[in-house]
Amino acid sequence: MDKRFKSIIIPKWKINSAVKKAAKWVDNNYPANEDVVLIGLLKGCIPFYAKLMSYIKRDIETDFMVVSSYRGADRAQGLPNIVTDIKTDIKDKHIILVEDIIDSGYTVKYVMEFLKQRGYKSAKVVSLLNKTEKRKIQFEPDYYCFLVPDKFLVGFGLDYQEKFRNVPYIAELKRGDK
Ligand code: IMP
Ligand code: MG
């Protein structure tokens, strides 16, 4: 066991097979002749996005957004902020937002509203993790790989102060580290 972590919540092999299933879900959900754009929310999406796209068999377009979410007490200061927008014209295309984790629900809901005026054909949200206990608004991803408890998790894209994104599994930080 890595001394930095209290426990491993989701091991690497489980992530791998769950992401394969998520890719199948993408392949089975859209007509072959229609455009699908996979939009990743940086930076947390990186490992999940990379694995997911590698298992998707149909044609997809790729793009990314940088969105800063205000966490904890800072949330009172404002809504999530779109730092970098996508460059792809999504009119009449299906978009899939790819997130690492949905917690309060604010971030993804805000991004969905932001992209709404661009005339996409459909919009869905795929998240690696779904943390439902502290949901602040009514929002559910269309697909998620794992339901997780209300613990502070790191690894496979999730960070604590920009560290641990490179850890290849999902772990809980040791108490006192945060
Ligand atoms: P929401 O707006 O509360 O749904 O927050 C979503 C964002 O908060 C995610 O994209 C993560 O960046 C971050 N987040 C939520 N829970 C955790 C966690 O347990 N560890 C690390 N980041 C988290
Ligand atoms: Mg994130």
Side-chain angles (χ1 to χ4, degrees):
M1 182 62 208
D2 192 311
K3 284 197 293 254
R4 296 171 294 177
F5 308 128
K6 195 169 161 191
S7 62
I8 294 177
I9 303 287
I10 308 166
K12 200 174 164 178
W13 68 268
K14 273 196 187 171
I15 296 176
N16 207 45
S17 58
V19 178
K20 273 187 194 167
K21 277 193 199 160
K24 275 210 179 98
W25 180 85
V26 173
D27 279 330
N28 294 335
N29 250 280
Y30 300 93
N33 59 337
E34 294 179 9
D35 291 323
V36 174
V37 190
L38 214 56
I39 301 175
L41 303 190
L42 293 171
K43 298 179 262 190
C45 76
I46 292 174
F48 177 47
Y49 189 105
K51 205 178 262 298
L52 180 67
M53 70 183 279
S54 78
Y55 290 131
I56 292 173
K57 295 197 175 78
R58 61 158 296 127
D59 288 334
I60 47 158
E61 291 174 56
T62 57
D63 211 336
F64 298 91
M65 290 175 92
V66 178
V67 183
S68 62
S69 339
Y70 297 86
R71 308 270 321 143
D74 292 333
R75 180 147 274 147
Q77 292 171 8
L79 286 164
N81 185 33
I82 311 286
V83 179
T84 310
D85 197 351
I86 48 168
K87 295 195 174 65
T88 309
D89 179 5
I90 56 173
K91 189 159 169 24
D92 300 325
K93 296 177 183 175
H94 299 281
I95 64 167
I96 304 175
L97 289 187
V98 180
E99 246 294 40
D100 51 357
I101 184 166
I102 317 273
D103 184 13
S104 70
Y106 282 126
T107 306
V108 171
K109 184 99 185 205
Y110 183 78
V111 172
M112 294 288 267
E113 290 296 320
F114 177 81
L115 296 173
K116 217 172 198 167
Q117 321 99 9
R118 304 209 182 150
Y120 56 66
K121 189 159 192 171
S122 77
K124 290 195 192 302
V125 173
V126 175
S127 185
L128 177 67
L129 307 178
N130 190 11
K131 207 196 248 184
T132 55
E133 287 168 45
K134 293 269 171 66
R135 196 76 97 241
K136 296 283 191 302
I137 50 171
Q138 212 183 342
F139 181 84
E140 279 309 314
D142 298 279
Y143 190 97
Y144 64 90
C145 296
F146 301 99
L147 187 66
V148 292
D150 183 27
K151 291 176 173 169
F152 195 82
L153 307 174
V154 294
F156 210 75
L158 287 95
D159 72 304
Y160 173 63
Q161 296 185 344
E162 291 302 328
K163 294 202 184 93
F164 313 117
R165 292 193 199 274
N166 58 314
V167 172
Y169 47 83
I170 306 284
E172 185 185 0
L173 266 191
K174 260 189 186 155
R175 256 175 231 275
D177 289 357
K178 62 166 190 119

